Amino acid sequence: QGTVAEGATSTTLTGRAVVSLAITATEAGSGVESMRFAATAEALATETWSAYSATVPYTLSGADGSKSLFVQLRDRAGNVSD
């Protein structure tokens, strides 16, 4: 479970469309290199990889209500998280 940097956990409201995600990832072998995000698990494969960062701005889409965000991480060896 991740957190929204403004202090709201993934189960509480932020009141904002643009949130700051706090991403914590480690990989003892080659290290974490990149990440990508999508609103659905199926959409992850079509998203562009970006450099890993511990804090990421993200714009939530759609109307008010519950949101899901899926994240994949890739290490320097090319291994991708589930």
Side-chain angles (χ1 to χ4, degrees):
Q1 174 176 328
T3 61
V4 178
E6 286 84 7
T9 68
S10 61
T11 59
T12 63
L13 300 175
T14 67
R16 301 176 184 158
V18 179
V19 295
S20 182
L21 305 175
I23 308 295
T24 304
T26 58
E27 199 286 322
S30 61
V32 179
E33 177 182 56
S34 53
M35 59 189 176
R36 60 186 176 185
F37 304 93
T40 66
E42 296 79 19
L44 274 173
T46 63
E47 294 298 321
T48 303
W49 291 99
S50 59
Y52 172 75
S53 178
T55 304
V56 181
Y58 187 82
T59 302
L60 300 168
S61 62
D64 289 349
S66 295
K67 307 289 183 202
S68 293
L69 180 63
F70 295 82
V71 179
Q72 266 189 330
L73 301 165
R74 182 171 62 183
D75 67 12
R76 288 182 178 86
N79 300 307
V80 176
S81 65
D82 293 331

